[in-house]
Amino acid sequence: MTKRALITGITGQDGAYLAELLLSKNYDVYGMVRRSSTNNKERLNHLKNDIHLIDGDLADGGNITRMLNTVQPDEIYNLGAQSHVGSSFDMPEFTANVDGLGILRLLESMRTLDMQDTKFYQASSSEIFGNSPETPLNETSPFLPCSPYGVAKLYAYWTVINYRQAYDFYACNGILFNHESPMRGAEFVTRKITKAVAGIYHGSKETLKLGNLNAKRDWGHARDYVRGMWMMMQMDQAGDYVLATGETRSVRKFIEAAFAYIDIQIEWQGESENEKGINKKTGDILVEIDPNFYRPNELHCLVGDAKKANKKLGWSPEISFNDLVAEMVAHDIEVYQK
Ligand code: NAP
Ligand code: GDD
């Protein structure tokens, strides 16, 4: 029997990879798309004839109920979110509404429509751990979110568990650590770096301006992580799972790796706001600090422990950090436009 999946956030990085994966497994794929005056469907260009798109917004409860009633999905993947941590400090109320209450609207609609056989996946995040004292972080580590985004995602996390316990829904939290790809939004640090490196490769004289270079993240590839989402939905019982690589690197190391791909070695000079990344061979300044990109509160280091997902789901990441960086830089070199 063909399964029917509904993806909120289908126009985002993970939405596009997940839609691709589900189509390859012969799912009938539906996606919620919010209205925009500009094209927000670019990541779906190659799939547009194979998927069904429905107008909607996680901030609108009535719209969600009608959508679920029409689609009657077997599996719901809730990936829609204001997903930029830095922006959540500027838009805390909007972030709480979409990333927190949006999940409540979906689960309440499922309850109202008595969708007991529909499985639900929530895109939870390692941001809920914040600056937790434990390392590496697993499903039992303490939650100390340090951004409005992290706080909203923690509300969503507990809402999922509450609906699982109270109404016996198959609802799971995928607590995913950072995952990137050539489809990553341009305002996230990895893609910002790989796009700038591609520009410099093509002769641009730009300087890459960044905030905190010392923050460390556990970076994997989005393709591996959407596979893990699907695996969580194929179990007999719902659960919460960390997906992570178990390796952590600083923003500085990501910069070095990305420039190394085009044979540029970076030498660091100066300190804090005066620090600069210099091309060792030519002396050109390639990286500078712009304090505007500092956050009011920073999550300093993330490293995850995905043993539970490995043991119960058989999941482990297949794409290495170096291959991730190489794929991103190569892609940005190819698509570069002045
Ligand atoms: P993304 O590229 O920013 O995509 C977010 C998606 O949510 C987009 O399709 C966006 O639509 C949609 N959206 C935003 N506001 C909405 C609203 N009010 N109603 C309906 N849809 C809305 O994010 P991603 O990297 O694919 O991440 C997917 C999910 O995983 C997000 O929930 C994110 O918070 C979570 N997550 C991501 C990571 C990561 O490292 N990537 C790690 C942990 C958790 P537009 O295209 O119109 O903007
Ligand atoms: N975005 C950005 N831009 N980040 C910068 C910059 C810059 O110019 N300079 C330094 N950084 C630092 C940030 O301060 C942060 O410590 C780190 O780079 C990573 O920032 P992002 O790439 O924006 O990702 P994030 O870790 O804050 O959030 C991502 O991962 C979460 C999971 O841990 C997002 O995908 C979230 O949606 C996701 O939940």
Side-chain angles (χ1 to χ4, degrees), residues 179-199:
H179 44 279
E180 320 293 311
S181 75
M183 284 208 263
R184 185 56 142 157
E187 72 283 9
F188 295 93
V189 78
T190 56
R191 188 80 199 285
K192 190 170 161 184
I193 294 166
T194 59
K195 279 179 74 121
V197 169

Side-chain angles (χ1 to χ4, degrees), residues 83 125-126 149 178 184 187 189 192 211 215 217 295 298:
S83 71
S125 163
S126 45
Y149 169 86
N178 298 49
R184 185 56 142 157
E187 72 283 9
V189 78
K192 190 170 161 184
R217 290 293 181 271
R295 294 175 180 175
E298 178 64 279

Side-chain angles (χ1 to χ4, degrees), residues 114-286:
D114 202 16
M115 300 179 83
Q116 213 59 42
D117 295 330
T118 299
K119 293 183 171 182
F120 184 87
Y121 172 87
Q122 163 58 10
S124 189
S125 163
S126 45
E127 271 282 322
I128 64 177
F129 294 116
N131 286 307
S132 185
E134 274 186 20
T135 186
L137 296 151
N138 65 31
E139 295 78 3
T140 61
S141 301
F143 302 128
L144 292 164
C146 57
S147 65
Y149 169 86
V151 173
K153 286 281 183 182
L154 188 54
Y155 173 86
Y157 169 89
W158 284 118
T159 302
V160 165
I161 292 176
N162 185 240
Y163 274 67
R164 193 161 74 210
Q165 292 174 349
Y167 309 115
D168 209 21
F169 276 121
Y170 187 109
C172 39
N173 284 296
I175 312 170
L176 272 48
F177 284 62
N178 298 49
H179 44 279
E180 320 293 311
S181 75
M183 284 208 263
R184 185 56 142 157
E187 72 283 9
F188 295 93
V189 78
T190 56
R191 188 80 199 285
K192 190 170 161 184
I193 294 166
T194 59
K195 279 179 74 121
V197 169
I200 289 162
Y201 174 86
H202 282 289
S204 155
K205 294 287 168 213
E206 69 187 287
T207 307
L208 173 58
K209 293 192 171 29
L210 294 169
N212 180 10
L213 305 185
N214 298 317
K216 289 174 143 184
R217 290 293 181 271
D218 180 331
W219 279 300
H221 195 299
R223 199 183 288 286
D224 278 333
Y225 286 58
V226 300
R227 182 168 44 82
M229 293 176 191
W230 176 78
M231 288 170 134
M232 285 178 216
M233 296 283 264
Q234 310 312 311
M235 305 297 284
D236 290 332
Q237 282 198 326
D240 306 316
Y241 298 91
V242 160
L243 298 186
T245 69
E247 297 173 9
T248 191
R249 291 175 178 82
S250 64
V251 172
R252 193 189 309 275
K253 286 286 170 215
F254 193 101
I255 297 168
E256 290 170 9
F259 276 107
Y261 185 82
I262 59 165
D263 287 330
I264 290 180
Q265 203 181 334
I266 296 289
E267 195 169 75
W268 298 101
Q269 288 179 11
E271 275 179 30
S272 43
E273 284 170 27
N274 297 316
E275 184 167 10
K276 295 189 191 325
I278 314 243
N279 182 336
K280 195 172 175 193
K281 212 169 177 181
T282 63
D284 291 344
I285 297 173
L286 301 180

Side-chain angles (χ1 to χ4, degrees), residues 4-67:
R4 188 173 291 178
L6 172 69
I7 305 172
T8 73
I10 195 168
T11 58
Q13 168 190 257
D14 291 5
Y17 278 109
L18 180 64
E20 221 174 271
L21 178 80
L22 296 179
L23 285 172
S24 76
K25 295 184 182 297
N26 289 323
Y27 276 69
D28 209 2
V29 177
Y30 287 74
M32 175 199 261
V33 179
R34 58 179 179 159
R35 204 206 82 80
S36 166
S37 63
T38 52
N39 180 15
N40 58 356
K41 302 188 193 92
E42 268 179 12
R43 293 186 179 102
L44 302 174
N45 276 346
H46 59 306
L47 307 174
K48 66 179 173 223
N49 296 327
D50 304 316
I51 54 179
H52 315 270
L53 299 179
I54 301 179
D55 285 342
D57 199 300
L58 286 165
D60 189 322
N63 166 279
I64 289 174
T65 308
R66 286 193 302 281
M67 180 182 65

